[in-house]
Amino acid sequence: YDNEFDYTHIRGAYYGIISDSSSLEKQKLKLTNSQIFNMVYTNLYAMSTKMEVANTVLANSGSYTVALIGGDAVFTHCTIANYQVLVNREEDTPSLVVVNFTQDDRKKYQPYPLQQASFRNCIVYGSRENELGFGLLEDYAHQFDFQSCLLRNVEPLSEDVATKVIYN
């Protein structure tokens, strides 16, 4: 808990930061004023993590640039972008994916409640038409919102989760 990265520069690895399964009562990660880019797989992989990310660039990956699986996350003044050319980018992997469950080998759901995923004054963009991905089951908590953001997505989000958002 209480891991802090400030003015950190991470590049050219398989994964940038992996933060997995923790109590949502206590903050696990604070990432500020940083750059994480050019990963083979994912720049920020967070599973059931309470975190704060501010004034940070997460860019270019061979998979999801940011993967949020449940948890409590607040992103402020961040850029999440994927224009990866150094490695082949996997099919159907948007820059940002937000989910509240996983599936095991037997296709059984494992819940990861999404207490909050807030994006304020952020850019989510890339070379694909849809750079947002969601995997949300109604049976599990899933609170998310975008305020004053620039998003690359063909379909606009509903007004109850997107305020002052510009698309494409």
Side-chain angles (χ1 to χ4, degrees):
Y1 295 100
D2 298 324
N3 299 288
E4 292 189 28
F5 293 90
D6 190 30
Y7 294 101
T8 301
H9 185 93
I10 301 172
R11 69 183 178 114
Y14 282 97
Y15 291 92
I17 295 175
I18 297 174
S19 181
D20 59 356
S21 303
S22 63
S23 167
L24 297 180
E25 301 300 315
K26 209 171 161 189
Q27 185 162 301
K28 187 156 189 182
L29 175 65
K30 183 175 184 180
L31 177 64
T32 53
N33 307 307
S34 298
Q35 296 178 344
I36 301 175
F37 62 97
N38 293 343
M39 298 300 145
V40 174
Y41 296 110
T42 303
N43 297 36
L44 177 59
Y45 181 92
M47 177 180 275
S48 191
T49 297
K50 183 171 184 169
M51 67 179 172
E52 176 186 335
V53 182
N55 196 36
T56 293
V57 174
L58 300 125
N60 299 336
S61 60
S63 184
Y64 307 108
T65 306
V66 173
L68 296 179
I69 303 166
D72 183 338
V74 177
F75 289 76
T76 307
H77 307 299
C78 292
T79 297
I80 301 168
N82 200 345
Y83 294 94
Q84 182 62 279
V85 294
L86 299 175
V87 297
N88 288 332
R89 188 170 170 193
E90 294 176 17
E91 289 295 319
D92 300 322
T93 56
S95 293
L96 171 65
V97 65
V98 178
V99 300
N100 66 352
F101 71 95
T102 60
Q103 281 185 302
D104 62 20
D105 294 338
R106 297 179 182 167
K107 303 290 183 194
K108 184 176 178 186
Y109 293 130
Q110 173 67 42
Y112 285 93
L114 183 65
Q115 302 298 325
Q116 170 182 232
S118 292
F119 300 86
R120 291 173 173 74
N121 197 34
C122 292
I123 298 169
V124 180
Y125 226 80
S127 57
R128 302 233 168 112
E129 286 186 339
N130 291 305
E131 292 293 355
L132 293 175
F134 298 97
L136 303 170
L137 294 177
E138 291 295 323
D139 295 345
Y140 311 130
H142 57 284
Q143 299 291 340
F144 67 93
D145 66 284
F146 294 85
Q147 296 177 12
S148 303
C149 293
L150 171 62
L151 306 175
R152 175 121 192 220
N153 215 52
V154 173
E155 293 294 320
L157 300 173
S158 65
E159 290 181 9
D160 59 327
V161 298
T163 308
K164 297 181 182 176
V165 169
I166 299 171
Y167 294 94
N168 305 319

